Amino acid sequence: TATHGPTGPGSMSGPVSAQNGPGSPGGFGGPGGSGNPGWPDGPGASISGNTDLQALITSADNRWAAASIGSMGTAGLELETGASVMAIGGFTGGDNSPTLEQFQAYVADGQVRYFIAGGHGGPGGNSGSSSEITAWVEQHFTPTDVGGATVYDLQTSPSPR
């Protein structure tokens, strides 16, 4: 446990302070705080708790029911639905996995049903293959609003854009 107050060196150790702890006013994830995946205003807030989106994802019978950028946003949806959701670019969305070519092959093979736009990664997110995949999806498929989330059905014929 920390032997000094919550503002001194090493303040990240020790018990959670009532003033700055998770869920407290102004604290991590609390009202006015920076948020956390699945918490209000945090990454994934637009998809976490979205019952319309959950129903859509649950109805998909593909290897991946959906894909979005970074696992910070997809993790909550995957846990809420039990469906497999691809986190493009890994945790933050900044890794080049899958590549655009790999993602296009997954879509062509019918392995990914939906793309959920606006996925939030961390530092370095929405770069590299993540931005290429997003641009490709936006250019070739038609967006639909599902409970406030922008979703693209990747099993429809690509639109000429």
Side-chain angles (χ1 to χ4, degrees):
T1 338
T3 58
H4 41 72
T7 59
S11 62
M12 72 295 285
S13 62
V16 175
S17 166
Q19 296 114 353
N20 298 316
S24 65
F28 185 74
S34 60
N36 189 33
W39 291 358
D41 302 324
S46 65
I47 61 175
S48 182
N50 182 335
T51 56
D52 292 337
L53 183 59
Q54 290 173 17
L56 184 71
I57 297 306
T58 304
S59 70
D61 188 26
N62 303 68
R63 179 178 180 188
W64 290 286
S68 191
I69 306 302
S71 66
M72 294 175 74
T74 62
L77 184 60
E78 197 165 24
L79 290 170
E80 291 166 346
T81 63
S84 183
V85 181
M86 179 190 295
I88 296 170
F91 183 68
T92 65
D95 294 336
N96 284 322
S97 179
T99 64
L100 174 59
E101 293 76 22
Q102 289 170 323
F103 186 78
Q104 288 171 327
Y106 294 145
V107 171
D109 291 343
Q111 294 186 54
V112 185
R113 179 61 192 261
Y114 299 105
F115 179 82
I116 305 165
H120 297 289
N126 295 335
S127 63
S129 64
S130 297
S131 60
E132 293 173 355
I133 290 169
T134 301
W136 177 76
V137 168
E138 290 173 345
Q139 290 171 358
H140 294 92
F141 296 92
T142 304
T144 303
D145 181 273
V146 179
T150 302
V151 178
Y152 296 83
D153 186 345
L154 303 177
Q155 298 302 293
T156 60
S157 298
S159 61
R161 290 184 181 218

